[in-house]
Amino acid sequence: MNRIDQRFSELKQQGRRALIPFITAGDPAPRYTVGFMHALVEAGADVIELGVPFSDPMADGPVIQKACERALAAGTRLVDLLDMVAEFRRTDSATPVVLMGYLNPIERIGYEAFARRAAEVGVDGVLTVDMPPEEADELAPLLKANGVAAIFLVAPTTSRQRAAAICAQGDGYLYYVSLKGVTGSATLNAEDVAEHLAPLRELTDLPLCVGFGIRDGATAAEVARVADGVIAGSALVNRIADNATTPEAVPGALKAVLGDMRRAMDAATAPDLADAPR
Amino acid sequence: MPDARGRFGPYGGRFVSETLSFALEDLEEIYASLRDDPAFQAEFDHDLTHYVGRPSPLYHAERWSNALGGAQIWLKREDLNHTGAHKVNNTIGQALLAKKSGKPRVIAETGAGQHGVATATVAARLGLECDVYMGATDVERQKLNVYRMRLLGARVIPVESGTRTLKDAMNEALRDWVTNVDDTFYIIGTVAGPHPYPLLVRDFNAVVGREARRQSLEQIGRLPDALVACVGGGSNALGLFYPFVEDEGVAMYGVEAGGDGVATGRHAAPLSSGAPRGVLHGNRTYLMSDDAGQVADTHSISAGLDYPGVGPEHALWKDVGRVNYVAANDDAVLEAFRELTHMEGIMPALESAHALAQAKVMAPTMRPDQHIVVNLSGRGDKDIMTVAKLDGIEF
């Protein structure tokens, strides 16, 4: 069983929601990333989304774009990310890792080589922002053949017909983009999110995870009431940006933000478990 | 024609984030219903005639031809269009689509500012709100066009990210579109981007080639031996070439921005430098990127060609060998710019001067009874500051 499916099945049994932090790998430099990942797990991460830095992150806002620029300036390449995951796996064999980014770096490595190597190092899922299901017929089957989930986005603008096709092809979880816009933009509206998730529930058993606009414990808790998972990116990447020149302070800063989200989410969904050790 | 997925052979497609898929499906549907609609085409033609001033002349550059001592050079005068470039053909077409879509706001990206000016112009005419994204470097080197856009009522938004040029302007426009997709129509300026843009931009510019073909038959008495046009994204080239594609006797040359020279790496010539395939801005095409898949920095004296990719249909024409893709270096471009200005009294855009530089290379190798049609895609007023700076002149 893929680590993602395993994790969601455990969470379901516990009546808890997944907390999914996103950080850009290699930000501020490649040597720090694995340490950051462990810090995220200690603060209660269920799945880690590791951003693959790209020169032209069209779907991201300024926070993630600057993170990409810092990571690229420090020489981060997709092959380095794969090495990071291998290193992370030496001490953590349980936490699912999802790579999130754009298609071009994957194209340069080659789909087949990438899918094989990703599986080898312990990557559990891949989300390619600029690869909607219509364009996924080459990469997605190769990922699946290697036991790596191809994760897709669903947006507020997605028609029911498209949503059905995405649900049929999707794997791991569905990433619901909570608002029109780029990462780090306006605050989400939990009621609106709930309205959009309801019809998706009829289409699929895949866990529905919500990203874009999760800023703090309060927004994480609101979303946790209606979704299976909460994805937080810009709020964490901001902490890395604040401490870019003192990277040793980053793990503590990440833990503070993510720990707040964890406690708020658990309190919102399963009060009896809120303070229990995990 | 692209296939059902918007692909030209292995190129093209629709590589966008999910939020935009519905808008592109909408646009595809609207365009499919209008493409062969006589009423829509009549409205488009009417605007081209009475607002743009078409047809543009096919002018025999006799003095320059004689000086070069070879083939006869003919200039398709897109520089005489309203707003001074071929760009207006496409913005007129897309503005009509925006009107049919009922969207009150348009956005655009621009490099040299020609597409931005053309978009601001149609927006002014139709009373649409208009925001234009432009790399901060280009805002600096194209001040005149920035001011023109502002006079027309558009907001020009300088983009500070990345290389601060055309590709970054396109990233920013896509971000805006994702955010405001309900009420905003994105007028893409070239034959790139996600399907159906490469198709509709080509269709709207094909009027150039249709006219040039008819005019050649009338004025030369036969089809020309060669067509030459500059290629950044490639909209003026595709517009000229497309109606000639079946005419096997007509050779075609797409001229990319060689910058300091293709061998130096400081250029914007994905096709002629043999850049690998890649995915950027919604389509798969030849793309200048490094071994790790990061999009490369580009360089060109001409802001309008300073782009690391190229329209997907050009990528296909390169592979099948129908069009020859070559590069002209900045030096040769400036020389051609000065020569045409002196010998014909026509000041070309630096973009168009790339095509002229290639004609200057080809003509002497051909006979005086042979004919080259060069697409003079735009006028050079906007580039006077760039050239003046090289001449050490300050205004």
Side-chain angles (χ1 to χ4, degrees):
Chain A
M1 198 182 209
N2 181 299
R3 268 181 286 256
I4 299 173
D5 302 335
Q6 175 79 34
R7 178 55 56 100
F8 276 102
S9 126
E10 288 162 13
L11 287 165
K12 197 170 181 185
Q13 280 171 8
Q14 299 164 6
R16 306 173 82 220
R17 308 289 183 261
L19 176 56
I20 308 178
F22 167 101
I23 58 171
T24 299
D27 171 25
R31 63 183 178 279
Y32 301 112
T33 302
V34 173
F36 295 175
M37 292 168 75
H38 288 304
L40 294 173
V41 174
E42 283 166 37
D46 290 303
V47 178
I48 293 176
E49 283 189 358
L50 203 51
V52 184
F54 184 48
S55 52
D56 295 80
M58 285 109 42
D60 287 294
V63 172
I64 308 287
Q65 172 156 24
K66 291 211 173 75
C68 287
E69 284 171 10
R70 287 191 297 270
L72 292 174
T76 315
R77 298 161 304 165
L78 178 52
V79 289
D80 302 318
L81 261 84
L82 295 167
D83 292 344
M84 289 172 196
V85 178
E87 194 189 329
F88 176 74
R89 281 281 168 255
R90 277 186 215 127
T91 46
D92 187 328
S93 57
T95 308
V97 175
V98 172
L99 301 190
M100 182 165 179
Y102 296 79
L103 199 53
N104 203 51
I106 298 176
E107 293 227 333
R108 287 311 299 275
I109 289 185
Y111 288 168
E112 201 155 351
F114 169 75
R116 207 173 44 237
R117 179 81 183 128
E120 257 169 36
V121 299
V123 168
D124 304 289
V126 171
L127 198 171
T128 314
V129 179
D130 54 354
M131 187 185 74
E134 296 91 328
E135 302 291 358
D137 55 336
E138 290 173 64
L139 179 57
L142 285 167
L143 291 173
K144 285 184 194 189
N146 283 279
V148 178
I151 296 169
F152 290 102
L153 299 165
V154 179
T157 54
T158 304
S159 66
R160 186 172 170 86
Q161 196 186 352
R162 285 186 61 82
I166 295 169
C167 289
Q169 260 201 69
D171 218 354
Y173 54 89
L174 282 185
Y175 186 130
Y176 178 75
V177 176
S178 69
L179 41 87
K180 292 164 206 156
V182 293
T183 53
S185 42
T187 334
L188 60 79
N189 174 339
E191 264 174 52
D192 184 63
V193 170
E195 257 169 54
H196 279 95
L197 292 187
L200 292 174
R201 298 254 181 231
E202 295 167 18
L203 294 170
T204 183
D205 293 329
L206 284 172
L208 306 179
C209 300
V210 175
F212 286 42
I214 316 285
R215 286 164 187 262
D216 48 22
T219 43
E222 268 185 77
V223 171
R225 289 193 189 95
V226 298
D228 301 308
V230 175
I231 302 164
S234 297
L236 297 165
V237 174
N238 263 329
R239 297 287 83 74
I240 299 178
D242 293 345
N243 296 288
T245 52
T246 53
E248 63 282 356
V250 169
L254 291 178
K255 280 188 195 172
V257 178
L258 201 65
D260 276 350
M261 291 183 182
R262 176 85 267 172
R263 282 185 292 276
M265 280 168 59
D266 288 349
T269 56
D272 52 322
L273 286 175
D275 296 313
R278 296 192 58 228
Chain B
M1 282 299 287
D3 68 16
R5 300 165 66 185
R7 293 196 179 182
F8 299 89
Y11 305 105
R14 189 178 281 166
F15 296 88
V16 294
S17 64
E18 178 57 28
T19 311
L20 291 179
S21 290
F22 100 103
L24 292 165
E25 283 175 355
D26 255 16
L27 179 59
E28 185 179 14
E29 207 174 296
I30 289 172
Y31 188 57
S33 73
L34 295 174
R35 190 165 188 262
D36 299 314
D37 174 10
F40 177 79
Q41 291 305 333
E43 195 177 355
F44 180 52
D45 287 344
H46 180 271
D47 282 359
L48 289 181
T49 304
H50 299 284
Y51 189 66
V52 176
R54 302 204 70 94
S56 68
L58 182 68
Y59 166 75
H60 186 192
E62 210 171 344
R63 204 160 98 86
W64 196 41
S65 302
N66 290 341
L68 291 171
Q72 303 307 309
I73 296 175
W74 300 75
L75 305 177
K76 180 61 177 159
R77 298 290 306 275
E78 292 299 293
D79 61 315
L80 293 179
N81 289 339
H82 181 47
T83 76
H86 74 288
K87 294 287 186 185
V88 73
N89 303 321
N90 169 49
T91 56
I92 291 277
Q94 289 199 48
L96 289 178
L97 292 179
K99 218 167 80 178
K100 306 276 180 199
S101 314
K103 309 240 167 123
R105 175 176 181 257
V106 295
I107 56 170
E109 84 294 332
T110 196
Q114 290 305 90
H115 175 59
V117 167
T119 304
T121 298
V122 297
R125 180 170 173 243
L126 296 176
L128 303 170
E129 193 191 336
C130 177
D131 284 344
V132 179
Y133 290 92
M134 192 169 184
T137 300
D138 295 339
V139 167
E140 191 52 41
R141 58 178 165 172
Q142 297 292 345
K143 283 181 188 157
L144 191 64
N145 270 344
V146 171
Y147 185 52
R148 282 170 81 192
M149 286 183 264
R150 289 183 174 144
L151 286 174
L152 288 160
R155 198 156 63 111
V156 179
I157 305 169
V159 177
E160 298 285 352
S161 59
T163 55
R164 307 161 91 235
T165 58
L166 182 53
K167 84 170 169 74
D168 308 290
M170 194 152 179
N171 289 337
E172 216 53 47
L174 283 164
R175 290 182 178 122
D176 182 313
W177 200 29
V178 168
T179 309
N180 302 295
V181 64
D182 289 331
D183 69 352
T184 298
F185 189 101
Y186 180 13
I187 298 186
I188 288 185
T190 192
V191 287
H195 177 63
Y197 282 102
L199 169 68
L200 60 90
V201 177
R202 179 252 273 163
D203 284 356
F204 292 143
N205 271 310
V207 62
V208 177
R210 284 195 302 272
E211 284 178 8
R213 199 173 181 286
R214 195 181 62 233
Q215 290 165 328
S216 296
L217 292 173
E218 285 166 10
Q219 295 174 236
I220 305 173
R222 63 178 177 88
L223 294 179
D225 299 279
L227 306 176
V228 186
C230 66
V231 175
S235 65
N236 89 84
L238 218 46
L240 175 66
F241 295 168
Y242 190 68
F244 288 90
V245 160
E246 306 291 327
D247 300 314
E248 283 171 21
V250 180
M252 299 180 182
Y253 291 84
V255 189
E256 295 187 299
D260 292 345
V262 166
T264 66
R266 281 176 51 76
H267 61 84
L271 292 172
S272 43
S273 71
R277 291 176 192 181
V279 171
L280 182 70
H281 295 151
N283 60 163
R284 178 180 280 119
T285 186
Y286 281 80
L287 177 66
M288 291 170 61
S289 69
D290 68 15
D291 291 343
Q294 306 300 339
V295 178
D297 289 1
T298 53
H299 168 78
S300 169
I301 192 169
S302 134
L305 303 183
D306 208 347
Y307 183 71
V310 63
E313 194 166 3
H314 283 294
L316 179 64
W317 291 132
K318 176 182 168 71
D319 284 5
V320 302
R322 180 64 187 93
V323 180
N324 307 292
Y325 293 93
V326 295
N329 296 357
D330 289 350
D331 289 350
V333 167
L334 280 163
E335 201 178 291
F337 170 89
R338 290 181 200 280
E339 244 177 67
L340 192 77
T341 306
H342 281 167
M343 304 201 69
E344 297 289 350
I346 297 172
M347 197 178 293
L350 288 176
E351 287 82 355
S352 315
H354 284 71
L356 296 166
Q358 172 64 14
K360 189 165 136 65
V361 170
M362 286 166 62
T365 70
M366 296 166 70
R367 297 187 314 269
D369 63 342
Q370 291 186 298
H371 301 269
I372 303 173
V373 170
V374 179
N375 203 13
L376 198 74
S377 55
R379 66 179 187 224
D381 308 37
K382 70 183 169 57
D383 294 318
I384 286 178
M385 296 294 192
T386 304
V387 178
K389 205 170 163 190
L390 292 167
D391 285 339
I393 294 167
E394 290 203 26
F395 290 96

